[in-house]
Amino acid sequence: MKRLLLLAACSLPLFAPTRSLAWNATGHEQIADIAWTRLLPHTRIELAAILKAGDPVFQPKSDSEADVRAAFRIASTFPDIIRGNRNTIYEADIPAMNSRLWPAGFQPNAGDGEATLCKKWHYLDKPIRNKGAAPAIFPSNGVNALNLA
């Protein structure tokens, strides 16, 4: 009986609720890898050129398709890296890019780091269900950021 109770006690943490990490770097990389298989050859060549000209962290090791594909996978994590990292080559560009996204007179909440970390550039928060007036959509979001290009 003691062994059964000990086994149950040791197994209990396996069933305890935990924070979900459902969309982390691995999720981004898997989606990028699937996307790669759907790209046309000329698009892959253009992406290779973009990756080679960008942040050294995301540059392909060589011109081989395998290395470019691997760099593309890693680059898919860029939005998460830049929002939490103050040491990228883009730091000086962030305030100017954010100002292009924000309407005149808009001031972000100083406490959320949006003015310096562009946290919301890679997604769009829009409620699926909503009762009452729809909440405002933050102007710095993935859809608006894509339109800057």
Side-chain angles (χ1 to χ4, degrees):
M1 184 67 166
K2 282 185 178 183
R3 291 178 95 185
L4 184 60
L5 287 172
L6 181 61
L7 179 63
C10 290
S11 301
L12 189 59
L14 297 174
F15 301 102
T18 59
R19 185 172 158 240
S20 174
L21 297 174
W23 199 256
N24 54 16
T26 302
H28 287 296
E29 290 177 15
Q30 288 175 343
I31 296 302
D33 209 41
I34 292 167
W36 182 266
T37 66
R38 311 232 9 180
L39 296 174
L40 297 173
H42 75 276
T43 305
R44 291 179 183 176
I45 291 168
E46 290 176 12
L47 280 170
I50 291 168
L51 289 168
K52 288 178 196 175
D55 192 318
V57 172
F58 305 110
Q59 291 177 353
K61 293 178 182 173
S62 75
D63 289 333
S64 76
E65 183 171 341
D67 283 347
V68 174
R69 184 175 183 171
F72 180 68
R73 242 189 331 269
I74 294 167
S76 71
T77 65
F78 173 76
D80 284 335
I81 290 170
I82 196 171
R83 75 185 175 124
N85 185 341
R86 303 293 303 186
N87 300 315
T88 70
I89 63 172
Y90 304 102
E91 294 307 307
D93 300 328
I94 292 171
M97 292 184 78
N98 264 337
S99 69
R100 291 176 57 196
L101 290 170
W102 299 331
F106 177 80
Q107 290 297 315
N109 178 350
D112 71 5
E114 183 63 21
T116 57
L117 295 178
C118 54
K119 289 182 176 184
K120 298 173 178 74
W121 283 12
H122 73 297
Y123 65 89
L124 171 64
D125 263 345
K126 192 171 182 183
I128 295 172
R129 294 183 201 165
N130 186 38
K131 293 181 180 176
I137 294 175
F138 200 86
S140 178
N141 63 62
V143 173
N144 289 339
L146 283 172
N147 289 325
L148 287 177

